[in-house]
Amino acid sequence: MNAFAIGPLVFAPDRFAAILAIAAFLFLNEILARKVDRRFSSWAWGATIAFIIGARAGHVIQHGGNFLAEPLRALYIWQGGFMIEAGIALALAYTLLRFRRELRLVLWAALPAAASAYVAFFILQLTAGAPATPLPSGDTFRTLSGTPFQPTTLKGEPIVINLWASWCPPCRREMPMMADVAANTGDAQLVFVNQGEGVEAIRRYLETENLELEHVVLDTLGEFGRHYGVPGLPATFFIGSDGMLQSVHMGEISRETLAAGIHLIAKDEAAR
């Protein structure tokens, strides 16, 4: 499963798992607050915030070089990028400080923590892996320059396909970074498949934003989205040199996640 859709909202599996895990954690602590000790209610919120801050800080430190160039991006938690171990460490430190005089409460606190971890693990296992979907075949598309384009001609090298539209805010936010990666990586070819817009709208957007994209494909009917079963934009597909889908990232993607995905498909190609 590539994403969870709830009405107009679309969630990547890892983000949906995180939301459910946090909800379960807070809910179970409300029960403990009523049955065991009322402090569990406020502790749960503090531990959640400590976990998020610790996990994000760990990720930022791990990729310090990227964030030194764009320091404000450290606050863009909607892009994803968390070091779970660092989050657990800070949440544990907060818990031990908060309950330092009543260690029995630490044992109680372990119950909702373990339950929420299981919820996240279960969702991630349920959605693990992407179906080995081949490139679309049988349909000929057009590039922005007007030349015919057949997706199966991409076979033979690692490919990253990004579905986007100029009216999509997260698409617009990630596009400058993706254009930069496309121009500077030799490990994979990045192809930008526009969903549903005309040539003039696309050119106007690229000129306004001063973006240069070498491979822009027009998909006026949204056939790529239907082929890969994604319910929203943006969507980024990591495809091996055999033309088979290896992984999908739903929603705005960070530079680190994009680089990691490219590394995996390039590594797979090198091993062949």
Side-chain angles (χ1 to χ4, degrees), residues 25 28-29 31-33 35-37 40 43 95 99 102-115:
F25 181 73
L28 292 173
N29 273 289
I31 295 177
L32 286 183
K35 301 293 185 180
V36 179
D37 191 298
F40 276 110
W43 166 79
T95 301
F99 295 143
E102 294 184 70
L103 292 181
R104 69 177 183 86
L105 296 181
V106 175
L107 298 178
W108 279 107
L111 293 178

Side-chain angles (χ1 to χ4, degrees), residues 5-113:
I6 303 176
L9 302 177
V10 180
F11 300 94
D14 58 341
R15 298 174 195 187
F16 189 66
I19 291 170
L20 287 186
I22 290 173
F25 181 73
L26 295 175
F27 174 75
L28 292 173
N29 273 289
E30 284 301 319
I31 295 177
L32 286 183
R34 296 184 182 186
K35 301 293 185 180
V36 179
D37 191 298
R38 60 184 178 82
R39 286 174 291 178
F40 276 110
S41 181
S42 59
W43 166 79
W45 287 99
T48 299
I49 293 171
F51 174 81
I52 294 172
I53 292 175
R56 183 60 176 174
H59 174 79
V60 170
I61 292 171
Q62 183 182 29
H63 301 279
N66 289 343
F67 286 95
L68 281 175
E70 304 172 274
L72 284 179
R73 200 163 57 81
L75 303 177
Y76 298 174
I77 61 174
W78 57 84
Q79 289 185 341
F82 297 92
M83 182 184 288
I84 301 302
E85 300 87 347
I88 292 174
L90 189 59
L92 180 59
Y94 169 80
T95 301
L96 292 173
L97 180 65
R98 181 73 183 271
F99 295 143
R100 62 188 179 279
R101 295 179 181 174
E102 294 184 70
L103 292 181
R104 69 177 183 86
L105 296 181
V106 175
L107 298 178
W108 279 107
L111 293 178

Side-chain angles (χ1 to χ4, degrees), residues 200-212:
E200 290 306 314
I202 298 171
R203 285 181 174 160
R204 185 166 55 249
Y205 164 71
L206 295 177
E207 290 172 3
T208 301
E209 299 298 323
N210 196 28
L211 295 173
E212 293 186 11

